[in-house]
Amino acid sequence: MRAYVTGATGFVGGHVAKALAAAGADVRTDRVDLRDAAAVLRAVEGCDAVFHVAALYSYDADREAIEAVNVGGTRHVVEACVRHGVSRLVHTSTAGTCGPVEGRVATEEDEPPAWELKVPYKATKLSAERLVLAAAAEGLDTVVVNPTTPVGEGDRKPTPTGRMVASVARGRIKGYVATTGLNVVNVHDVAQGHLLAYERGEAGQRYLLGGTNLALRELFAVVADLAGRPRPRVRVPYAVAAAAAAVRLANPNEVRLARLPMYFSSEKAQNRLGYQAGPIEPALKRAVADALGEEKEGV
């Protein structure tokens, strides 16, 4: 198999490219501007499979920029796959297109609450996913994977998740929003989930790739313990966080997403793909080691 991985210089994309290479694939990782349709077309030429992992994962960037990459770029990838007759496209979406759902874990049958679609990143990822699923309905063999919150080594740019872990590990976060939590997953498991989706996924389906559901307080405690730091102990009610966001003392998009616990089930991927997620502590340990190593280096 000759596979092209978009976003191979990024966190998840880099791990997907490594997993493919380890499985014997001929992996192409050319970095292209997804907004350039001709460049994407050239990158995909000659490939049997495309893993579209790249996205602008940001809660700070301009909405127009996020849409150009996440939606426009995905459109260009889909068009290139159709043009070159790619046998299968694996599209990396996000668990955020499946929820969260108040009072229970979310599944692939669910959708996000309306108020969260005011967050540009989330809205554009949902639009991109729908574009891909529409292409599947028109005959393109494509599978969607929905990672939850991947953690591990190599999140160097970093993503918003990596920045959060690093901030706790370095003792810069003293509290937590009381209303929320995350499903945290080893990035290695997510990478393997991509390969399983390619091999076993049903065209036109989406599969949540998750790990462990943890309240934010619990997650921060694990990270702080691994870093040898005091645990963040200030319990911040959601109303206080929202008030801080209103006067720009906190990121409004991040606060909007903290209204509910972001808990998900990977049962479908387990049953249909054979996906299995291991314990999260080893991945968090690697993420913390990376963060503290960069701190020593002055990054």
Side-chain angles (χ1 to χ4, degrees), residues 2 62 105 114 161 166 171 199 252 255 273:
R2 189 175 195 186
D62 177 76
V105 297
T161 300
E199 295 168 355
V255 170
L273 304 181

Side-chain angles (χ1 to χ4, degrees), residues 67-185:
E67 185 159 358
V69 173
N70 294 354
V71 183
T74 298
R75 182 176 293 109
H76 293 156
V77 170
V78 167
E79 291 171 350
C81 288
V82 172
R83 176 86 171 267
H84 289 304
V86 168
S87 62
R88 169 155 279 194
L89 166 64
V90 178
H91 173 70
T92 308
S93 187
T94 170
T97 64
C98 302
V101 176
E102 188 168 7
R104 62 173 174 82
V105 297
T107 74
E108 293 86 351
E109 300 301 314
D110 294 311
E111 59 186 25
W115 75 77
E116 288 198 351
L117 296 182
K118 294 179 180 179
V119 177
Y121 172 73
K122 185 146 188 171
T124 57
K125 288 296 287 184
L126 181 60
S127 295
E129 181 185 285
R130 288 174 173 171
L131 188 158
V132 169
L133 292 175
E138 294 174 3
L140 178 64
D141 188 336
T142 185
V143 178
V144 174
V145 290
N146 303 78
T148 55
T149 307
V151 295
E153 76 283 9
D155 193 353
R156 295 298 179 92
K157 290 190 176 178
T159 64
T161 300
R163 188 164 58 244
M164 176 189 69
V165 170
S167 294
V168 175
R170 296 171 183 174
R172 297 174 183 171
I173 291 180
K174 306 300 182 183
Y176 57 91
V177 180
T179 50
T180 195
L182 296 170
N183 182 291
V184 192
V185 61

Side-chain angles (χ1 to χ4, degrees), residues 6-287:
T6 72
T9 60
F11 178 43
V12 175
H15 283 280
V16 170
K18 289 177 183 177
L20 282 165
D26 178 6
V27 185
R28 178 182 290 178
T29 60
D30 308 3
R31 185 177 183 182
V32 301
D33 185 344
L34 292 176
R35 298 169 297 182
D36 184 339
V40 174
L41 192 64
R42 289 192 297 271
V44 170
E45 185 176 7
C47 291
D48 308 301
V50 171
F51 291 76
H52 178 37
V53 189
L56 181 49
Y57 178 21
S58 172
Y59 298 123
D60 304 304
D62 177 76
R63 186 184 190 101
E64 185 175 325
I66 297 175
E67 185 159 358
V69 173
N70 294 354
V71 183
T74 298
R75 182 176 293 109
H76 293 156
V77 170
V78 167
E79 291 171 350
C81 288
V82 172
R83 176 86 171 267
H84 289 304
V86 168
S87 62
R88 169 155 279 194
L89 166 64
V90 178
H91 173 70
T92 308
S93 187
T94 170
T97 64
C98 302
V101 176
E102 188 168 7
R104 62 173 174 82
V105 297
T107 74
E108 293 86 351
E109 300 301 314
D110 294 311
E111 59 186 25
W115 75 77
E116 288 198 351
L117 296 182
K118 294 179 180 179
V119 177
Y121 172 73
K122 185 146 188 171
T124 57
K125 288 296 287 184
L126 181 60
S127 295
E129 181 185 285
R130 288 174 173 171
L131 188 158
V132 169
L133 292 175
E138 294 174 3
L140 178 64
D141 188 336
T142 185
V143 178
V144 174
V145 290
N146 303 78
T148 55
T149 307
V151 295
E153 76 283 9
D155 193 353
R156 295 298 179 92
K157 290 190 176 178
T159 64
T161 300
R163 188 164 58 244
M164 176 189 69
V165 170
S167 294
V168 175
R170 296 171 183 174
R172 297 174 183 171
I173 291 180
K174 306 300 182 183
Y176 57 91
V177 180
T179 50
T180 195
L182 296 170
N183 182 291
V184 192
V185 61
N186 187 333
V187 69
H188 295 175
D189 294 333
V190 170
Q192 289 300 319
H194 279 70
L195 272 64
L196 289 170
Y198 173 79
E199 295 168 355
R200 305 176 185 178
E202 182 181 345
Q205 292 293 310
R206 55 184 190 165
Y207 299 91
L208 279 160
L209 304 178
T212 304
N213 290 312
L214 291 172
L216 200 61
R217 173 185 58 81
E218 297 172 312
L219 174 59
F220 283 5
V222 173
V223 172
D225 289 350
L226 288 168
R229 301 278 188 182
R231 295 180 175 185
R233 298 190 183 278
V234 179
R235 182 182 185 278
V236 180
Y238 183 77
V240 173
V247 295
R248 298 291 170 171
L249 293 177
N251 184 299
N253 289 323
E254 292 179 338
V255 170
R256 185 171 281 116
L257 295 177
R259 186 168 165 181
L260 293 175
M262 291 174 269
Y263 294 160
F264 298 91
S265 168
S266 298
E267 185 175 354
K268 179 179 177 180
Q270 292 167 7
N271 292 340
R272 302 189 187 181
L273 304 181
Y275 171 78
Q276 292 292 331
I280 194 59
E281 287 81 2
L284 285 171
K285 185 175 183 179
R286 295 194 304 272

